[in-house]
Amino acid sequence: MAGTPSIPASPVSLVLASASPRRRDLLAQMGVTPTEILPAELDETPGKGELPRALALRLAAGKAAAVAALRPDALVLAADTVVALGRRILPKAADAAEVRACLALLSGRRHRVLTGLVLCHPDGRRQTRLAETIVRFKRLSAAEIAAYAACGEGEGKAGGYGIQGRAAAFVPWIGGSYSNVVGLPLAETAQLLDGFGYPLRPENGYK
């Protein structure tokens, strides 16, 4: 007697809890298009004495929880990236002055880029990862710092720069994931999605 044909599982939507176009583009490199972009508004001020790793994980978890409460039937992916010099957390540069201040600190030194990742499943499961990349900046001249700050590229970015743009010329060496420095570590993200059965090619359906 022929067996009962299997019924494919119903697709589950993926919500990206981030407004970052860089994270959306990085997901697209893996063949993933979120069903919805729904950023979470959180106070990202570090707590007193809070270390960079703890901040990245706390903010990612907070964003994931906030959006999962709004979309309980979806997978929710959240990330937060922190740039740190030792224990010092650099800001997301609000303006050219903060970009200049960040670059002056980063000039000629190594720093860490940490991204906390959280993926929430509709059944209540949650998985967390932390990616860390070491980035070395060359020594920057005052003219280089001023020109980069004036171009506007570093505003709104953690540490005041974007490695995928003009600031690539400042970085002779990195240790670890390049995509993490852009804003989303792809290997860790793929691991989380695969762990919950989400395909990297959405046309294949959710298993």
Side-chain angles (χ1 to χ4, degrees), residues 188-205:
E188 289 82 356
T189 302
Q191 185 182 40
L192 289 182
L193 291 170
D194 185 64
F196 281 168
Y198 189 90
L200 301 186
R201 297 179 64 187
E203 66 268 24
N204 290 341

Side-chain angles (χ1 to χ4, degrees), residues 82-95:
V82 170
V83 173
L85 272 169
R87 296 164 62 97
R88 180 172 183 170
I89 297 168
L90 273 63
K92 290 183 179 177
D95 52 30

Side-chain angles (χ1 to χ4, degrees), residues 22 25 48 64 67-68 102 110 118 122 124 126 137 163 169 176 204-205:
R22 298 175 297 281
D25 292 345
K48 184 177 180 181
V67 174
C102 286
R110 294 188 181 193
V118 176
R126 189 180 81 167
F137 263 38
I163 197 172
N204 290 341

